[in-house]
Amino acid sequence: MDDFWSGVGVDLHLEPDATAGRRTGLERALRDAVRDGRLTPGTRLPATRRLAVELGVSRGTAKAAYDQLVAEGYLTSRQGSGTAVASLPSADAAAPNTPTRTRAPLFDLRPGSPDVGTFPAAAWLRALRRAIATAPSLAYDYGDPRGRIELRTALSEYLGRARGVLAPPERIVITSGYVQGLALLARVLDGGTFAMEDPGLPFHRDVVRRGGGRVVPLPVDEHGACAGELTDADAVVVTPAHQYPTGVTLHPERRRALTDWARARGGLIIEDDYDGEFRYDRQPVGALQGMAPGQVAYLGTASKTLGPALRLGWMVLPPHLVDEVADVKLHSDHHTESIGQLALAEMINSHAYDRHVRACRLRYRRRRDQLVDRLGVRRSVRGIAAGLHALVEVADETEALARAAEEGLAVGHLGEHWHAPDGDHRAQGLVVGYGTPRERAYPEALEALGRVLETS
């Protein structure tokens, strides 16, 4: 029998074994398709009359094959509903009472994510509709690896007025989030040495290493990254607005020291504008890029303001890096998807994005205030001037984490962020994110945190 594709209900690809006989060959082909998952539970199969025509067999042969697989439990058949694939237990399903995954925490105060429940679905839908209605047909074709000109133009204006970034559209490259931007720069500077904040996010260090870079630690103190300790690095990655995880803001003198180093050495500053939009007690601190546009690669995203699922980020590059980064982007994924870019451009141009960011800023400031009020003045809480996380100092991280586990509370901790986690680090603390919990769950999560800190 020849392979066939059915046009009824679902495209159905089968390879019946002609040497086994028509009925037996059809039974085996259907059975194998169900077993290996090519036919998923609930999939409706063609009627026996249509199946017989497609295969060139009698209707009786097709019906007999269906009846046999119904009897074996692979298919189900109902009068008036036709024949469908039955639900089967997975071959690798765990035995009863065997745990298959870690239980989700009762309270999640891990850092790194926003409250995704605040995603402005109505505003995004309006922007998406307007973008699709006005998009040229070429928007659905392969595009510029630097990204849609509509979004690059909108970001040029927005970043200039909101973050103090000098961002001509021709120097902007749209990425699928911050991680891709960092990976692209690591590939462009293949083999280069990257100084990265210590403590800092281990995953970002892995991204640089996988891109061909060598990572060296750059100490962080109460004034931010210690720029005076930079030596022979080719690039330095910093989070000036709200350092992760300590929460400090880079001191003005350190900013000048960084830019002086970059100019003198010809080094590259990679500015991760982490939490740059969320400053609570005064106006947001301007981006470092505005001080040295020729030495700073500025990276930002919509992950914290809108949601990580959109995978929309941007780079503002020194002129000499634009073509190289665009070429690596071209050979990485060609370009970031276009329709989301057009929708974000529409939101920025209509100022719906500004309104949403302001609303989020108020929401997260209230959460920050609740956190500080619950912990009180006796507990040292750092990094609360901005962002979606705070560092709560503790005497013993191990004990605090054990108590958190007893309470069903998930939190981050400082120990997992050091370049050398097993080293002798005096500072210990819990990294508490207040973006993740939904509004109703947040007060109870704070109570659990309070109990952990009071008893540990």
Side-chain angles (χ1 to χ4, degrees):
M1 298 179 193
D2 296 330
D3 296 2
F4 79 92
W5 287 91
S6 166
V8 179
V10 51
D11 285 337
L12 180 61
H13 181 73
L14 296 176
E15 298 180 0
D17 183 0
T19 64
R22 290 177 180 271
R23 173 181 164 179
T24 302
L26 177 57
E27 289 175 7
R28 289 179 180 174
L30 284 167
R31 191 181 293 112
D32 289 345
V34 174
R35 280 174 173 169
D36 61 24
R38 287 182 289 119
L39 287 177
T40 58
T43 300
R44 290 192 60 187
L45 299 183
T48 54
R49 187 185 304 276
R50 180 59 181 271
L51 183 65
V53 171
E54 293 282 357
L55 284 174
V57 299
S58 70
R59 186 182 179 190
T61 297
K63 185 176 186 306
Y66 275 8
D67 289 345
Q68 179 62 30
L69 267 71
V70 169
E72 294 178 7
Y74 288 97
L75 305 179
T76 61
S77 181
R78 284 186 181 180
Q79 186 70 28
S81 299
T83 304
V85 178
S87 297
L88 298 177
S90 171
D92 58 354
N97 302 321
T98 300
T100 58
R101 60 182 179 181
T102 304
R103 187 178 66 176
L106 293 175
F107 312 107
D108 192 350
L109 289 177
R110 288 172 291 192
S113 294
D115 180 359
V116 294
T118 65
F119 180 77
W124 182 259
L125 184 58
R126 287 193 297 269
L128 193 59
R129 284 172 172 164
R130 285 193 292 266
I132 291 176
T134 59
S137 58
L138 287 177
Y140 301 96
D141 201 350
Y142 293 106
D144 189 332
R146 295 175 299 170
R148 293 293 307 180
I149 187 60
E150 294 91 340
L151 179 55
R152 290 189 284 127
T153 302
L155 283 170
S156 177
E157 184 271 337
Y158 172 78
L159 294 174
R161 63 176 168 79
R163 302 296 300 127
V165 176
L166 182 62
E170 63 273 14
R171 287 171 50 185
I172 296 177
V173 174
I174 304 302
T175 64
S176 299
Y178 170 80
V179 166
Q180 187 187 41
L182 182 61
L184 293 175
L185 289 170
R187 289 176 60 184
V188 167
L189 302 178
D190 185 23
T193 298
F194 287 69
M196 302 186 73
E197 294 172 329
D198 187 20
L201 195 63
F203 180 66
H204 290 173
R205 299 196 288 269
D206 290 341
V207 169
V208 170
R209 292 188 183 105
R210 286 173 179 263
R214 172 176 170 264
V215 174
V216 296
L218 178 63
V220 172
D221 61 18
E222 65 275 13
H223 297 302
C226 298
E229 299 195 25
L230 281 169
T231 54
D232 59 350
D234 301 293
V236 55
V237 184
V238 290
T239 51
H242 191 231
Q243 201 275 334
Y244 184 83
T246 67
V248 301
T249 299
L250 190 63
H251 192 276
E253 290 184 5
R254 298 282 175 86
R255 289 178 166 233
R256 286 190 290 272
L258 271 178
T259 56
D260 289 346
W261 167 85
R263 291 190 180 97
R265 179 176 170 78
L268 177 68
I269 301 170
I270 300 173
E271 178 178 11
D272 176 2
D273 197 21
Y274 185 79
D275 289 343
E277 300 90 349
F278 299 126
R279 187 83 185 182
Y280 303 127
D281 301 317
R282 57 185 176 87
Q283 282 291 103
V285 178
L288 177 64
Q289 192 264 6
M291 296 178 61
Q295 284 73 42
V296 178
Y298 171 92
L299 278 64
T301 80
S303 294
K304 296 296 191 300
T305 54
L306 293 176
L310 294 181
R311 307 314 303 141
L312 285 173
W314 44 85
M315 311 169 72
V316 183
L317 298 166
H320 68 280
L321 286 179
V322 175
D323 290 342
E324 289 185 81
V325 170
D327 183 68
V328 175
K329 169 77 172 168
L330 175 67
H331 291 88
S332 174
D333 65 353
H334 205 301
H335 64 88
T336 299
E337 68 88 19
S338 297
I339 307 307
Q341 293 186 52
L342 294 174
L344 180 55
E346 174 63 34
M347 280 195 71
I348 293 173
N349 290 332
S350 67
H351 300 300
Y353 185 71
D354 290 76
R355 291 191 292 273
H356 174 69
V357 170
R358 286 197 297 270
C360 287
R361 192 180 293 134
L362 290 173
R363 177 189 295 264
Y364 292 135
R365 177 175 179 169
R366 286 196 295 269
R367 289 194 175 192
R368 188 277 310 264
D369 292 345
Q370 287 177 266
L371 171 67
V372 174
D373 289 345
R374 177 59 184 85
L375 299 186
V377 296
R378 292 178 300 170
R379 180 69 59 176
S380 178
V381 184
R382 296 164 52 189
I384 60 174
L388 306 183
H389 80 274
L391 179 63
V392 182
E393 294 182 353
V394 296
D396 189 327
E397 278 184 22
T398 302
E399 180 188 355
L401 290 172
R403 286 289 299 119
E406 293 174 5
E407 291 283 349
L409 174 67
V411 291
H413 62 102
L414 196 57
E416 62 187 332
H417 293 88
W418 300 105
H419 283 240
D422 297 330
D424 183 18
H425 303 293
R426 292 183 179 179
Q428 296 196 57
L430 300 182
V431 186
V432 179
Y434 45 86
T436 301
R438 297 297 177 90
E439 203 69 28
R440 289 179 296 179
Y442 186 57
E444 197 172 356
L446 288 184
E447 289 303 313
L449 175 64
R451 290 192 296 271
V452 167
L453 296 174
E454 289 162 3
T455 59
S456 63

